[in-house]
């Protein structure tokens, strides 16, 4: 591109950037405020369903690990060692069908199909 065109484009981009900055400064509120404060400087908004975080924090006693289970009685161990039923036999899968053999060059009938097509009848332009 010629240098003159590049300069014009650069000037246009610079003007857009400066204009955007100026519009942002003009549109900003005069005084910054915290979330929940109104623009008029009134009282902050009150949430009616707010809960203190103390209810949500777990204490160390709540974080204690669970006590260990007592060992099973010998009768329960014997029940666990009962013989397991035999799993059913897996289903037999049939082998995939053989792919059809590709026709040789002598058996190529594409040309016959093309010859059999009839062109659409010509209609006069309207």
């Amino acid at each position: 591109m010629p240098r003159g065109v590049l300069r014009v484009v650069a000037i246009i981009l610079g003007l857009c950037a400066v204009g955007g900055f100026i519009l942002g400064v003009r549109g900003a509120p005069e005084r910054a405020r915290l979330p929940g404060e109104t623009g008029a400087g009134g009282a902050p908004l009150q949430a009616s369903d707010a809960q203190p975080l103390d209810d949500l924090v777990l204490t160390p006693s709540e974080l204690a690990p669970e006590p260990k289970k007592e060992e099973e009685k010998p009768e329960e161990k014997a029940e666990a060692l009962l013989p397991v039923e035999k799993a059913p036999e897996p289903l037999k899968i049939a082998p995939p069908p053989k792919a059809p053999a590709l026709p040789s060059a002598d058996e190529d009938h594409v040309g016959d199909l093309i010859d059999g097509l009839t062109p659409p009848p010509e209609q006069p332009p309207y």
Side-chain angles (χ1 to χ4, degrees), residues 5-29:
V5 173
L6 291 175
R7 282 188 186 141
V8 170
V9 171
I11 289 171
I12 291 172
L13 287 174
L15 289 174
C16 288
V18 170
F21 181 77
I22 290 172
L23 289 174
V25 169
R26 285 186 56 204

Side-chain angles (χ1 to χ4, degrees), residues 3 10 22 31 33 46 67 77 80 87-88 104 115 119 125:
R3 279 209 145 345
I22 290 172
R31 181 178 168 268
R33 56 184 186 269
Q46 296 295 323
K77 286 185 181 179
S104 65
D115 291 339

Side-chain angles (χ1 to χ4, degrees), residues 43-122:
L45 301 175
Q46 296 295 323
S48 60
D49 59 345
Q51 297 177 352
L53 291 178
D54 296 337
D55 298 340
L56 302 176
V57 177
L58 297 177
T59 60
S61 62
E62 294 172 346
L63 294 176
E66 295 181 16
K68 294 183 180 179
K69 285 185 168 182
E70 295 180 15
E71 288 194 32
E72 296 178 357
K73 297 179 182 178
E75 298 165 354
E76 294 173 355
K77 286 185 181 179
E79 290 177 6
L81 297 176
L82 289 178
V84 179
E85 293 183 20
K86 185 178 177 184
E89 293 182 21
L91 298 174
K92 294 180 181 178
I93 300 174
K98 294 182 181 178
L102 296 175
S104 65
D106 297 335
E107 298 175 9
D108 188 16
H109 300 289
V110 174
D112 297 337
L113 293 173
I114 293 175
D115 291 339
L117 293 177
T118 58
E122 288 191 32

